[in-house]
Amino acid sequence: MSDLVTQLREAGCVFAEEEAAILFAAASDTTELDLLAARRIDGEPLEHVVGWAGFAGLRIPVAPGVFVPRRRTELVARVAQRLAPDLGTVVDLCCGAGAIGIALATWREDLTVFASDIDPVAVELAARGLAPLGGTAVVSNMDADLPPGLAGAVDVVTSCPPYVPTRQIAMMPHEARDHEPRRALDGGRDGARVQARVFDAAVRLLAPGGACVVETSEHVVDATVAAATHAGLAAAVEEDEALGAVVVVGTR
Ligand SMILES: C[S@@+](CC[C@H](N)C(=O)[O-])C[C@H]1O[C@@H](n2cnc3c(N)ncnc32)[C@H](O)[C@@H]1O
């Protein structure tokens, strides 16, 4: 184990002890441990190597080529949990592996949760996580292929869409640049291009009084608020310093 910690540290892993323990627990024997460790030392995200990401105390299944859910996105789920009425309907757009919807469906058994993403591999993971909780995941470019009955009938739309301004992608850690799809990161020139599409979709989906909770960053938040307002929603910003998280809530 101490050899593995040293190798991980030399490879640049900041939390080498914790990562070694996770790899150790994930491997069924020393041969598998060597294979998993080699992938990690080669720069693959730990979550892709072991097949899950920690999120809100849950293990979300992930796979190579799919965005790894970030801890800060827990704020989207927590705000949505607060805003969703009893027996409400929630749609998570750009769901990736489904972390937000899986957390909501776990915390609130009364909610009906739909999730969608343009990436079929991510949707497969989300569907696997949501099905035992009564939720549904579908492949869809925004809301285009969601069940038509959802239009105007949704209480809360959640989303962590791509919101990194294009010119900043080159400055992201290599794990993200090299192992997560560009489509999951690139938010266009001002970072808010896909967020604007989420707010437009939310206007079609939300019932009157419903809310759309969208993750952003302190650098992009002004453009996110402008996008929500442009879509016709009343925008408010919520932050969680401990998580380093910022969301914009657009209310219909
Ligand atoms: C930053 S990742 C977040 C994934 C997930 N929400 C999470 O927090 O783990 C953004 C996701 O948006 C999806 N996406 C990008 N453009 C999309 C579009 N036009 N329609 C649906 N999903 C899209 C990507 O495939 C990716 O899974």
Side-chain angles (χ1 to χ4, degrees), residues 67 69 73 94-96 117-119 140-142 160-162 183-184 197:
F67 184 86
T73 304
C94 303
C95 68
D117 197 285
I118 203 165
D119 177 353
S140 180
N141 185 351
M142 285 302 146
C160 170
R183 177 168 67 186
R197 293 192 59 204

Side-chain angles (χ1 to χ4, degrees), residues 23-245:
L23 289 168
F24 196 77
S28 51
D29 54 35
T30 51
T31 308
E32 190 182 8
L33 180 61
D34 288 347
L35 288 172
L36 297 180
R39 286 172 60 192
R40 179 62 187 131
I41 287 162
D42 205 31
E44 250 191 88
L46 178 69
E47 293 84 352
H48 286 169
V49 172
V50 298
W52 58 271
F55 183 85
L58 304 167
R59 283 190 178 193
I60 307 295
V62 296
V66 170
F67 184 86
V68 175
R70 310 296 204 260
R71 273 220 55 207
R72 61 176 168 268
T73 304
E74 289 176 30
L75 181 60
V76 175
R78 276 205 250 120
V79 172
Q81 180 193 23
R82 191 187 78 219
L83 295 175
D86 289 350
L87 301 171
T89 299
V90 177
V91 171
D92 183 35
L93 296 174
C94 303
C95 68
I100 297 169
I102 292 169
L104 278 170
T106 303
W107 297 334
R108 293 274 306 272
E109 287 182 11
D110 63 303
L111 297 178
T112 301
V113 176
F114 292 86
S116 67
D117 197 285
I118 203 165
D119 177 353
V121 179
V123 169
E124 165 101 37
L125 289 163
R128 214 195 300 154
L130 280 169
L133 302 164
T136 310
V138 296
V139 177
S140 180
N141 185 351
M142 285 302 146
D143 56 328
D145 290 311
L146 285 174
L150 287 174
V154 174
D155 298 293
V156 179
V157 171
T158 57
S159 189
C160 170
Y163 59 84
V164 181
T166 305
R167 70 183 178 288
Q168 286 177 15
I169 289 178
M171 277 135 8
M172 293 185 79
H174 76 88
E175 287 174 351
R177 274 185 287 119
D178 298 344
H179 294 279
E180 292 179 317
R182 174 94 181 195
R183 177 168 67 186
L185 307 174
D186 192 346
R189 197 180 55 79
D190 64 357
R193 186 187 60 204
V194 188
Q195 293 174 332
R197 293 192 59 204
V198 168
F199 288 123
D200 288 343
V203 168
R204 294 187 285 272
L205 291 168
L206 287 174
C212 176
V213 187
V214 174
E215 180 167 311
T216 190
S217 70
E218 58 178 329
H219 307 294
V220 174
V221 66
D222 291 346
T224 313
V225 167
T229 308
H230 187 261
L233 301 170
V237 177
E238 295 201 28
E239 295 179 53
D240 182 318
E241 269 189 42
L243 287 174

